[in-house]
Amino acid sequence: MLDCLLAKEQSAQYQHHHRDLNAGRTPLRWRRKICEWYYEFVDYFNFDREVVGVAMNYFDRYISSQQYCEYEHNILATYQTVAATALFLAIKLHATSCEISEEDISALRKRALGKILYGTTKPQDILDMEMNMLYGLDWKVNPPTLHNFAFMFCKFHPLSGICAESGSY
Amino acid sequence: MPKADRWSSDEEEIVLLSLLPKPISHLDEGTYGVVWKARDNATQEIVAIKQIKFDSDMTKEGFPISALREIGVLLSLSHESIVSVREMVVGSTPDKVFMVMDCFEMDLQAAMKKGPGASTPFAQSEVKYMMRQILSAMAHVTSIARKYEHPARNMTQMVVTLWYRAPELLFSESCYGPEIDTWSIGCIFGELLIKEAILKGTGELDQIQKIFKLLGTPTDDEYWEQLWSKQGSTFKWKNNDSDLARTFAVNSFSATGQSYLSPDGFDLLSRLLSLNPKKRITAEDALRHSYFSCGVTEQVPMFYV
């Protein structure tokens, strides 16, 4: 299983954005702000924080597939739309919670999606960006994340049973 | 982004890929979209194209979650017995999205009804061949799905077509795993043997009764006692003994219309249809079962040749 995650991480679709990150494609201060906003949003809805890792993955990979420049006209608005769309997509596919049932999560997810759609930028911009992003990501929307790794590591750990019972990892 | 060209047929206006000159036929309409059969202009291969259904909620939630999940899963799977998505393309408007997939002549249900010799049972070697395909595909899906496993997650019970739904789901079990799929495979195994669905319930309650009638009511079973006590259930089920051995005759060449079933085959069937999900055989273990290593050699079914 861990080999699977590693192979996935090293595959072309999931790896190429690391180079762009290192090359400073996204100004770090913007990236930090986006990440903080993600955590704030996800915590507000009580979703598992894994969704932030997934959203950042979508964001980085999509930005790296585009030819954006920091000094471009309206670039801030574009980044805002990309960031909101990445979270929109990540919540759709990966928003779960250990403490909430799937039925309740479904209602919560709807509220969260509505909040993004009607809260940050024009709804149609997000919907248009969603399709662009899906193609930009080559429809690969299940990236390996640190949380994935941590959950699996816990599972294999000799004390995993005790951790699961006590709810502490 | 790959774009599709607009094209009209006599029957209905549809959107097709630029590389696909014309639709050959309408194959099926599922929950998530309409499927067309078409020819790839570049390779001359026959492919299936599935148009994703968009409902009116598109403006509220964007691309349908169910379709996104299906695409995500199909793209991560790579197995000879699982249909693969070749690419995704869009039409003239954002709500026209297509999955280009491998095309198969028929599904298993159609093969049972329309294939040559539809009125005669499958040979044991053919059943074995199909069961190996299904189980190895399931084992692959399970290995991929493990990556997304999450501890203690509660899930909906409204999954799986009723006739193939595991008994624990019918009793609202919300923490489940691949064992619900191995139950479905057990139902398919039985169906391959008699060419008819084995548990045709008309509703959830009737489905439970049919399951208990075929496999017996679970008595003195720790799993079921726990599940029922957790739900505070006071409902008493009529005690039935298992009817499985009478329904599926072993070593019999009788004219009942059933495929020949070896003792190994019966053992595998009963392990797949174990009422206790914790004791139900996994797809990986089922592939190692003596049913596959002993007895007649597997053979490609006639409808496939």
Side-chain angles (χ1 to χ4, degrees):
Chain A
M1 273 188 258
L2 295 177
D3 282 348
C4 261
L5 276 182
L6 191 64
K8 199 174 203 183
E9 190 176 71
Q10 286 169 347
S11 66
Q13 289 97 348
Y14 287 112
Q15 211 199 14
H16 68 271
H17 73 277
H18 290 305
R19 284 197 303 273
D20 296 310
L21 266 183
N22 294 339
R25 173 70 66 90
T26 309
L28 277 177
R29 63 185 190 284
W30 293 4
R31 199 169 176 278
R32 185 175 297 129
K33 265 193 173 176
I34 290 165
C35 194
E36 283 168 359
W37 176 62
Y38 280 174
Y39 274 119
E40 208 176 308
F41 193 93
V42 163
D43 287 349
Y44 175 80
F45 282 96
N46 210 15
F47 292 137
D48 289 345
R49 283 184 151 199
E50 183 174 2
V51 83
V52 174
V54 175
M56 282 312 299
N57 179 289
Y58 292 166
F59 175 83
D60 290 334
R61 280 166 59 213
Y62 181 74
I63 290 292
S64 76
S65 70
Q66 305 300 308
Q67 302 297 318
Y68 294 142
C69 161
E70 191 179 346
Y71 306 105
E72 217 172 280
H73 176 62
N74 261 348
I75 188 66
L76 263 173
T78 308
Y79 264 71
Q80 197 177 18
T81 309
V82 173
T85 310
L87 184 61
F88 184 76
L89 206 50
I91 285 175
K92 262 191 193 186
L93 286 162
H94 297 274
T96 53
S97 173
C98 285
E99 299 148 14
I100 307 169
S101 73
E102 182 61 27
E103 281 85 359
D104 293 340
I105 279 281
S106 181
L108 208 56
R109 194 186 290 132
K110 275 193 178 140
R111 272 182 52 209
L113 294 179
K115 190 116 180 148
I116 298 175
L117 212 49
Y118 299 102
T120 47
T121 173
K122 286 183 205 156
Q124 197 53 48
D125 287 352
I126 302 236
L127 297 178
D128 292 344
M129 179 59 79
E130 184 186 31
M131 286 307 293
N132 288 331
M133 188 172 282
L134 284 168
Y135 278 97
L137 300 178
D138 202 18
W139 297 84
K140 306 279 186 194
V141 285
N142 296 310
T145 61
L146 288 171
H147 285 76
N148 263 166
F149 174 80
F151 279 134
M152 281 188 194
F153 184 80
C154 290
K155 212 172 163 180
F156 285 114
H157 196 276
L159 294 176
S160 65
I162 297 166
C163 291
E165 274 170 26
S166 64
S168 64
Y169 284 89
Chain B
M1 186 185 311
K3 290 273 184 188
D5 285 337
R6 206 160 185 84
W7 186 92
S8 300
S9 76
D10 293 338
E11 297 166 2
E12 191 185 350
E13 191 177 43
I14 57 163
V15 179
L16 283 176
L17 318 180
S18 53
L19 72 161
L20 301 172
K22 61 175 183 178
I24 296 172
S25 64
H26 171 252
L27 283 178
D28 198 6
E29 181 162 1
T31 316
Y32 303 133
V34 184
V35 185
W36 296 83
K37 185 176 172 183
R39 190 186 303 279
D40 186 329
N41 238 4
T43 63
Q44 299 303 307
E45 276 178 294
I46 302 293
V47 292
I49 49 173
K50 181 170 176 178
Q51 182 174 0
I52 309 284
K53 257 186 199 167
F54 285 85
D55 52 29
S56 52
D57 265 4
M58 171 77 179
T59 48
K60 285 184 193 159
E61 289 193 15
F63 198 89
I65 297 179
S66 49
L68 259 180
R69 284 184 178 154
E70 186 185 358
I71 294 163
V73 169
L74 285 173
L75 281 170
S76 25
L77 300 173
S78 172
H79 189 275
E80 57 181 9
S81 302
I82 299 175
V83 64
S84 61
V85 178
R86 296 175 175 214
E87 62 178 324
M88 300 294 303
V89 286
V90 288
S92 51
T93 52
D95 63 341
K96 292 201 166 62
V97 181
F98 304 89
M99 294 162 78
V100 184
M101 307 161 92
D102 290 342
C103 183
F104 293 94
E105 280 309 304
M106 54 188 119
D107 61 19
L108 193 54
Q109 199 177 31
M112 279 194 270
K113 286 177 184 158
K114 294 176 192 162
S119 55
T120 53
F122 287 119
Q124 188 192 192
S125 52
E126 293 178 325
V127 174
K128 216 179 250 197
Y129 181 90
M130 290 183 276
M131 281 305 291
R132 184 186 286 282
Q133 280 196 324
I134 295 168
L135 284 164
S136 60
M138 190 65 238
H140 180 69
V141 171
T142 308
S143 68
I144 297 289
R146 269 199 204 113
K147 283 188 286 182
Y148 310 120
E149 224 171 273
H150 200 287
R153 178 182 291 171
N154 288 332
M155 297 181 283
T156 178
Q157 300 87 38
M158 295 307 288
V159 289
V160 191
T161 308
L162 183 65
W163 294 353
Y164 304 90
R165 199 177 297 163
E168 62 271 22
L169 289 177
L170 294 163
F171 281 97
S172 306
E173 176 63 275
S174 57
C175 276
Y176 52 79
E179 61 280 356
I180 64 159
D181 297 310
T182 41
W183 170 273
S184 306
I185 294 175
C187 295
I188 294 169
F189 191 9
E191 192 167 338
L192 287 173
L193 294 168
I194 58 172
K195 285 201 169 177
E196 195 184 341
I198 59 169
L199 294 162
K200 296 197 277 191
T202 50
E204 291 195 4
L205 200 60
D206 187 44
Q207 188 67 24
I208 293 168
Q209 279 172 337
K210 286 201 161 55
I211 291 172
F212 288 171
K213 191 168 182 298
L214 179 68
L215 296 151
T217 314
T219 48
D220 300 328
D221 185 293
E222 201 185 332
Y223 171 82
W224 284 97
E225 277 172 12
Q226 272 182 9
L227 184 65
W228 284 333
S229 76
K230 198 166 69 183
Q231 294 168 344
S233 170
T234 52
F235 204 88
K236 291 281 175 205
W237 293 92
K238 189 184 159 192
N239 273 352
N240 290 307
D241 292 329
S242 175
D243 215 11
L244 196 67
R246 273 192 296 274
T247 310
F248 295 97
V250 173
N251 282 340
S252 167
F253 288 99
S254 66
T256 53
Q258 182 202 302
S259 300
Y260 180 84
L261 184 64
S262 64
D264 281 335
F266 182 80
D267 183 68
L268 177 60
L269 179 68
S270 50
R271 282 169 191 268
L272 287 166
L273 292 177
S274 164
L275 285 172
N276 184 333
K278 295 188 189 305
K279 291 180 183 164
R280 207 170 289 152
I281 193 167
T282 64
E284 291 93 333
D285 287 343
L287 286 166
R288 288 190 283 268
H289 192 275
S290 51
Y291 173 63
F292 293 107
S293 51
C294 305
V296 296
T297 320
E298 292 155 41
Q299 181 190 309
V300 180
M302 286 295 285
F303 64 78
Y304 202 69
V305 184

